[in-house]
Amino acid sequence: MADLKSFAEQLVNLTVKEVNELAKILKEEYGIEPAAAAVVAGPGAGAAAPAVEEKTAFNVILKNGGANKLNVVKIVKDLTGLGLKEAKDLVDGAPKAVKEGISKADADALAAKLKEAGAEVEIN
């Protein structure tokens, strides 16, 4: 199934020139005459497809402080450099961003520490 999905993605991303070459190969080598090469190409096939950007900056969102809020407040304080009152306000005001624009590895590490303390965390 994954192979078919990959194949479908390749077909969708063909340029008009590539679709015409494919139609020629199908007709000459296999005796299959495509109904219309333009239909396979779809609208705007000649235009460059927008590049899919890989996400590089992540936000760690504290959804809920959990049952053991005190430990979560301590961790938030240590990881963010906030004062005790600010860290408590952040935990009490959940859902809130704990850190924004950090790497995936840092976001995963931060989320793991918060989850270990009993917090409910989301990375986006």
Side-chain angles (χ1 to χ4, degrees), residues 28-78:
E28 291 176 359
E29 293 185 21
Y30 299 98
I32 301 171
E33 188 156 346
V39 173
V40 175
V52 177
E53 293 183 29
E54 187 173 329
K55 190 170 182 176
T56 57
F58 295 86
N59 302 329
V60 177
I61 309 296
L62 178 68
K63 302 289 279 181
N64 186 331
N68 198 353
K69 275 189 180 179
L70 183 57
N71 282 342
V72 175
V73 169
K74 287 178 183 178
I75 290 173
V76 168
K77 178 184 173 292
D78 291 342

Side-chain angles (χ1 to χ4, degrees), residues 73 76-77 82-93:
V73 169
V76 168
K77 178 184 173 292
L82 294 172
L84 186 59
K85 181 181 180 339
E86 291 83 7
K88 182 184 180 303
D89 290 345
L90 189 148
V91 173
D92 288 342

